[in-house]
Amino acid sequence: MINRATLSQPSQVQEALRANGLGKTPVILSPEQPCPALANIGALPLVSPAFVARLDLSSSANQRKAALHQKWRNRLTRAQSYDLRVSRQNMPLEARHWLFLADQAQQRQRGYRSWPIDLTLAYGRENKGKAKLFQAFSGSETVAAILILRHGLGATYHIAHATQTGKSLSAHNLLMWEAMTWLASKGCQQLDLGLINTEEAPGLARFKLGTGARLSQLGGTWALWMPLGRLFSPLSRCDRKLMSARAF
């Protein structure tokens, strides 16, 4: 699988696969941006492009705060007026950590699947200091947490959960703002807030876009098996429009 790669010239994919001894291996491609020209090399479209929210962290703190949507900013101000304590630490490498358990329960309740816990733990082990856990406390009670994964000059908003108390205190907004501020101070340029799904998770979509993040279209998912590329080319071109860039 080649995931979130920038594919400026699809023909380079063929050259790279051959150079690495993968010329006869079926490959799944998920480009960082729409790349309908993959149809020209016989790649078959599997899933149409989705949208993600990307937050620019290269601006000043005042500019980032001004970019917040009004309701989001109001919730942040309210959260800052409460006696909430925020902590930051490396993610404990414990499968039974409360955030993992809460996230699993939420996945079962809402009927979706995310990364397996073991994969998140493996990321933390192999990238020491790059999995950062932010938690909010009301007194001695943990009311919210978010897990951020850092990589290069970017970072990804990975897991988050807030209790009913945390929601009432807008703790999630406070944690996100603290994470944004800390990442920017460390030279992080961009925070990927993940997929935007306005139909199944409108509240989460509003929260992500309320940070001032912008929508960015990914390139969808393609299957490429070079030995059959010429055979699949006509079929691939039929669905080319579905894999092109489009307005949200």
Side-chain angles (χ1 to χ4, degrees), residues 135-210:
Q135 296 184 95
F137 301 86
S138 178
S140 60
E141 180 187 2
T142 309
V143 297
I146 62 174
L147 176 59
I148 301 290
L149 304 183
R150 295 186 62 196
H151 37 82
L153 294 177
T156 297
Y157 171 75
H158 187 53
I159 300 175
H161 186 78
T163 66
Q164 287 303 317
T165 299
K167 292 176 182 178
S168 68
L169 298 175
S170 299
H172 201 174
N173 297 71
L174 178 62
L175 287 180
M176 179 61 79
W177 178 253
E178 292 291 330
M180 290 162 55
T181 302
W182 182 78
L183 288 168
S185 74
K186 295 300 180 180
C188 188
Q189 302 275 314
Q190 178 179 268
L191 178 59
D192 188 332
L193 297 177
L195 295 176
I196 292 294
N197 188 332
T198 56
E199 294 183 1
E200 297 180 7
L204 182 57
R206 286 193 296 271
F207 174 81
K208 291 178 179 180
L209 296 176

Side-chain angles (χ1 to χ4, degrees), residues 11-230:
S11 60
Q12 293 178 340
V13 176
Q14 295 173 305
E15 296 170 5
L17 291 175
R18 291 192 186 100
N20 288 276
L22 299 172
K24 297 182 179 180
T25 302
V27 178
I28 299 296
L29 302 169
S30 298
E32 182 72 12
Q33 298 171 334
C35 189
L38 282 171
N40 297 337
I41 62 172
L44 282 174
L46 300 179
V47 181
S48 58
F51 286 85
V52 296
R54 290 196 175 107
L55 179 63
D56 180 15
L57 297 177
S58 63
S59 56
S60 68
N62 288 337
Q63 289 173 321
R64 291 195 301 275
K65 197 157 193 176
L68 299 175
H69 289 204
Q70 185 63 51
K71 289 184 178 179
W72 208 103
R73 190 184 303 115
N74 291 343
R75 291 190 178 99
L76 172 60
T77 301
R78 187 167 66 242
Q80 291 173 327
S81 71
Y82 296 132
D83 189 22
L84 291 173
R85 178 172 60 89
V86 174
S87 71
R88 183 191 72 249
Q89 66 183 104
N90 291 337
M91 179 70 212
L93 301 179
E94 304 169 3
R96 300 293 297 173
H97 190 276
W98 79 267
L99 178 58
F100 290 138
L101 298 180
D103 183 60
Q104 281 197 315
Q106 181 171 278
Q107 289 183 45
R108 290 192 296 269
Q109 179 184 5
R110 299 183 181 178
Y112 70 93
R113 296 181 66 183
S114 186
W115 278 24
I117 293 175
D118 286 345
L119 183 55
T120 300
L121 294 177
Y123 186 95
R125 283 194 301 270
E126 298 301 319
N127 301 275
K128 297 188 184 302
K130 299 298 184 181
K132 291 294 184 182
L133 175 68
F134 293 78
Q135 296 184 95
F137 301 86
S138 178
S140 60
E141 180 187 2
T142 309
V143 297
I146 62 174
L147 176 59
I148 301 290
L149 304 183
R150 295 186 62 196
H151 37 82
L153 294 177
T156 297
Y157 171 75
H158 187 53
I159 300 175
H161 186 78
T163 66
Q164 287 303 317
T165 299
K167 292 176 182 178
S168 68
L169 298 175
S170 299
H172 201 174
N173 297 71
L174 178 62
L175 287 180
M176 179 61 79
W177 178 253
E178 292 291 330
M180 290 162 55
T181 302
W182 182 78
L183 288 168
S185 74
K186 295 300 180 180
C188 188
Q189 302 275 314
Q190 178 179 268
L191 178 59
D192 188 332
L193 297 177
L195 295 176
I196 292 294
N197 188 332
T198 56
E199 294 183 1
E200 297 180 7
L204 182 57
R206 286 193 296 271
F207 174 81
K208 291 178 179 180
L209 296 176
T211 63
R214 294 186 176 183
L215 285 172
S216 180
Q217 190 176 10
L218 300 179
T221 303
W222 303 71
L224 174 64
W225 193 8
M226 287 169 54
L228 297 181
R230 291 184 179 180

